[in-house]
C-alpha cells in the first residue's frame, strides 16, 4: 500500500461517523463541512446573506487577540499518522498558521467537557498555504478519540483529513461472531492490485454504500490477469460467513470472485502456496448482495479477494470468531496505546488503586494483561 499516509483511512470522515462537535465561531461557513467525505467545491458569485458561500469552515475576521478552533470527534478512534488541512478555494481568507491536537476520552463527552480535557500536540503551530492541501506527518504513538484544529488567528479551511490506523475498543468486541474484516474492528487493506477509481478501504468501511463511488472499482483490464485485494483481519479467527456486495455496480461488476485465506503466524502471505481456498471461483450478479456460508475450519489472519477479471464491489463482510489469543492481543494493544490519563482512568475504574494504576501505566508497553484486574481483563479479552 506504500508509505503515503493518505492511503490510510480518514478517521475523521463523516462516512466513518466523524462529527464536528464544537467550534468557537462559524459565521461565514458551517463547521460540519470540515469532515465531508467528498472533495470541496466552489461556484463563483454564489452569495448568501453572509457573503460568498464556501464549502468549508470559515470564521469572521478576528478583531481581538486569540485564535479560532474546532473540535472533531473521530468516527473511528486510532493512531494518527498524518493530517491534511485543506484550504481549497480559500485564497484571501485562509489561516496563515494552523495546529492540530488530540485527546482520548471515555464515552461521549460534551463540548464543555472536551474543553477541559488534556490535549496532546499532533501538529505544532505551522505555516499554511491558501488554496492548498497542507500535509503534516504525525509521530505521536497514542490512540485518540478527538482532534482539535486551531487557526491563527482566523480564516477558512475546506476539509480536515485525519489519516491513521484504527484501534478498536475491545470492550465492544463481544464474544461470538463479528465481521473480522471490518475497519471499525481493526481490519485493514494490506495489498491491492488496482485502485484507479476508488480506495479498497471502502470495501470494509461501516454501513452500506450509497453510491458507486463509495465502493472499490478498478480500471478496465486489457490483459489476461485479474484484480485482487488482500485484507488483514482484525485478528486471527475463523471465517464462517462471507458477503460480497456489488450494489450500485451495474455494468461494471466482476463476473466472478473467489476468496482465499492465509495464517501469517505460520506462513508468509507473499508465498502463493500459503493460501487456502475459502470460496471457490463463483459467479456474481450486478447490483446484488451475495451471501455465502463458508467452512474454513482453519484459523486465518488474512483473506484475499480475487475478482475476475476486473470491476467494482461495494462491500466485503467476513463474519466469524476471533481466537482467544487474538482477543487478548487486541486488548493489550488498546491499553498500551492509550494516552497516560485515559489508561490510568480505565485501570482505576477496573479496580486498581491510584498508586497501582500509576505504576502499571508507567510500565507500559505491557507484555501481557496478567497485572490488569480480572474484571477489566475479561472486558479487554485477556
Amino acid at each position: 500500500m506504500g508509505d503515503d499516509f493518505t492511503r490510510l483511512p480518514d478517521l475523521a470522515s463523516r462516512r466513518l461517523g466523524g462529527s464536528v462537535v464544537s467550534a468557537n465561531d462559524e459565521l461565514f461557513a458551517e463547521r460540519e463541512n470540515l469532515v465531508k467525505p467528498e472533495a470541496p467545491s466552489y461556484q463563483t458569485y454564489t452569495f448568501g446573506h453572509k457573503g460568498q458561500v464556501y464549502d468549508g469552515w470559515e470564521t469572521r475576521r478576528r478583531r481581538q487577540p486569540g485564535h479560532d478552533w474546532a473540535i472533531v470527534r473521530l468516527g473511528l478512534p486510532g493512531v494518527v499518522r498524518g493530517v491534511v488541512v485543506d484550504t481549497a478555494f480559500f485564497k484571501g481568507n485562509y489561516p496563515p498558521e494552523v495546529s492540530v491536537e488530540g485527546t482520548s476520552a471515555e464515552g461521549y463527552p460534551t463540548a464543555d467537557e472536551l474543553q477541559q480535557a488534556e490535549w496532546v500536540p499532533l501538529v505544532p503551530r505551522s505555516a499554511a498555504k491558501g488554496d492548498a492541501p497542507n500535509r503534516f506527518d504525525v509521530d505521536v504513538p497514542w490512540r485518540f478519540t478527538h482532534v482539535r484544529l486551531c487557526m491563527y488567528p482566523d480564516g477558512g479551511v475546506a476539509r480536515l483529513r485525519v489519516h491513521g490506523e484504527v484501534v478498536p475498543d475491545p470492550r465492544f468486541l463481544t464474544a461470538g461472531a463479528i465481521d473480522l474484516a471490518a475497519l471499525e474492528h481493526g481490519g485493514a487493506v494490506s495489498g491491492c492490485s488496482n485502485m484507479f477509481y476508488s480506495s479498497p478501504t471502502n470495501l470494509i468501511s461501516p454501513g452500506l454504500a450509497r453510491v458507486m463511488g463509495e465502493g472499490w472499482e478498478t480500471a478496465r483490464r486489457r490483459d489476461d490477469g485479474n484484480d485482487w485485494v488482500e485484507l488483514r483481519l482484525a485478528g486471527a479467527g475463523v471465517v464462517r460467513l462471507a458477503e460480497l456486495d456489488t450494489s450500485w455496480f451495474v455494468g461494471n461488476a466482476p463476473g466472478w470472485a473467489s476468496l482465499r485465506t492465509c495464517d501469517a503466524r505460520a506462513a508468509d502471505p507473499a508465498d502463493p502456496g500459503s493460501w487456502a481456498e475459502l470460496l471457490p471461483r463463483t459467479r456474481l450478479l450486478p447490483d446484488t448482495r451475495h451471501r455465502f456460508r463458508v467452512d474454513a475450519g482453519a484459523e486465518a489472519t488474512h483473506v484475499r479477494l480475487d475478482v475476475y477479471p476486473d470491476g467494482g464491489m461495494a462491500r466485503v463482510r467476513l463474519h466469524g470468531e476471533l481466537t482467544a489469543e487474538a482477543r487478548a492481543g487486541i486488548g493489550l494493544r488498546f491499553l498500551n496505546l492509550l494516552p497516560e490519563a485515559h489508561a490510568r482512568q480505565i485501570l482505576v475504574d477496573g479496580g486498581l488503586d491510584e498508586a497501582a494504576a500509576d505504576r502499571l501505566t508507567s510500565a507500559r508497553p505491557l507484555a501481557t494483561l496478567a497485572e490488569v484486574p480480572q474484571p477489566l481483563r475479561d472486558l479487554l479479552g485477556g
Side-chain angles (χ1 to χ4, degrees):
M1 292 295 289
D3 297 326
D4 180 0
F5 69 71
T6 61
R7 295 285 182 88
L8 296 171
D10 175 11
L11 306 179
S13 173
R14 170 71 71 177
R15 190 174 292 165
L16 299 185
S19 174
V20 186
V21 298
S22 181
N24 71 308
D25 185 89
E26 52 179 331
L27 186 136
F28 284 117
E30 294 84 358
R31 68 198 192 199
E32 286 81 9
N33 290 329
L34 281 173
V35 297
K36 289 165 65 175
E38 59 269 17
S41 61
Y42 182 80
Q43 289 182 310
T44 58
Y45 211 78
T46 50
F47 284 87
H49 70 284
K50 293 182 180 179
Q52 169 68 37
V53 176
Y54 274 93
D55 184 13
W57 168 53
E58 186 184 6
T59 65
R60 72 192 77 200
R61 299 191 186 206
R62 180 172 282 276
R63 304 306 187 196
Q64 301 294 331
H67 66 273
D68 293 326
W69 52 265
I71 296 176
V72 174
R73 182 185 67 243
L74 300 181
L76 298 178
V79 177
V80 180
R81 299 301 185 189
V83 169
V84 179
V85 180
D86 189 351
T87 56
F89 307 112
F90 288 94
K91 298 178 180 180
N93 49 353
Y94 67 92
E97 295 179 310
V98 297
S99 69
V100 181
E101 304 161 293
T103 194
S104 182
E106 277 285 279
Y108 308 95
T110 65
D112 289 340
E113 289 169 340
L114 286 168
Q115 288 289 6
Q116 307 304 315
E118 181 178 325
W119 291 89
V120 177
L122 301 181
V123 177
R125 184 167 173 170
S126 304
K129 296 179 181 179
D131 194 26
N134 298 276
R135 294 163 55 106
F136 303 97
D137 290 298
V138 176
D139 187 20
V140 181
W142 302 117
R143 174 190 189 267
F144 295 105
T145 59
H146 297 74
V147 297
R148 181 165 62 189
L149 169 66
C150 297
M151 303 190 295
Y152 303 92
D154 54 36
V157 171
R159 298 288 190 271
L160 176 66
R161 306 300 193 197
V162 184
H163 297 277
E165 300 161 4
V166 177
V167 179
D169 187 333
R171 295 170 294 178
F172 293 98
L173 295 179
T174 56
I178 64 168
D179 182 358
L180 297 174
L183 187 64
E184 62 188 318
H185 295 156
V189 174
S190 53
C192 181
S193 63
N194 185 282
M195 56 184 82
F196 184 86
Y197 287 110
S198 47
S199 171
T201 298
N202 290 341
L203 289 172
I204 56 175
S205 293
L208 298 175
R210 297 169 300 174
V211 294
M212 187 189 299
E214 292 185 2
W216 166 62
E217 184 182 1
T218 71
R220 299 190 186 207
R221 295 193 74 97
R222 303 305 188 190
D223 57 23
D224 58 357
N226 73 281
D227 289 318
W228 54 269
V229 172
E230 183 183 289
L231 304 175
R232 189 192 72 230
L233 303 181
V238 178
V239 180
R240 304 292 186 189
L241 177 70
E243 180 177 314
L244 305 180
D245 183 1
T246 60
S247 292
W248 303 104
F249 291 93
V250 179
N252 51 353
W256 304 265
S258 66
L259 295 169
R260 289 180 285 169
T261 64
C262 176
D263 188 345
R265 299 169 301 175
D268 182 2
D271 176 9
S274 65
W275 294 83
E277 183 178 273
L278 179 66
L279 178 72
R281 179 166 169 161
T282 301
R283 188 188 68 186
L284 300 182
L285 295 178
D287 197 24
T288 301
R289 292 177 65 189
H290 308 78
R291 304 179 76 206
F292 305 98
R293 291 177 60 90
V294 293
D295 185 15
E299 297 171 1
T301 60
H302 293 71
V303 171
R304 173 169 160 146
L305 165 70
D306 282 89
V307 295
Y308 304 92
D310 55 31
M313 191 167 292
R315 294 290 186 268
V316 172
R317 305 300 188 202
L318 301 171
H319 298 280
E321 304 90 26
L322 289 166
T323 66
E325 178 186 16
R327 288 182 57 82
I330 292 171
L332 184 65
R333 180 170 181 251
F334 169 76
L335 189 59
N336 282 335
L337 289 176
L338 289 176
E340 185 172 329
H342 195 178
R344 184 178 180 278
Q345 176 188 354
I346 286 179
L347 290 170
V348 170
D349 291 345
L352 285 182
D353 59 54
E354 293 187 358
D358 286 339
R359 287 195 301 272
L360 199 55
T361 300
S362 300
R364 296 179 305 156
L366 305 176
T368 72
L369 294 173
E371 297 180 69
V372 176
Q374 188 61 57
L376 178 58
R377 194 189 316 163
D378 292 339
L379 284 175
L380 296 179

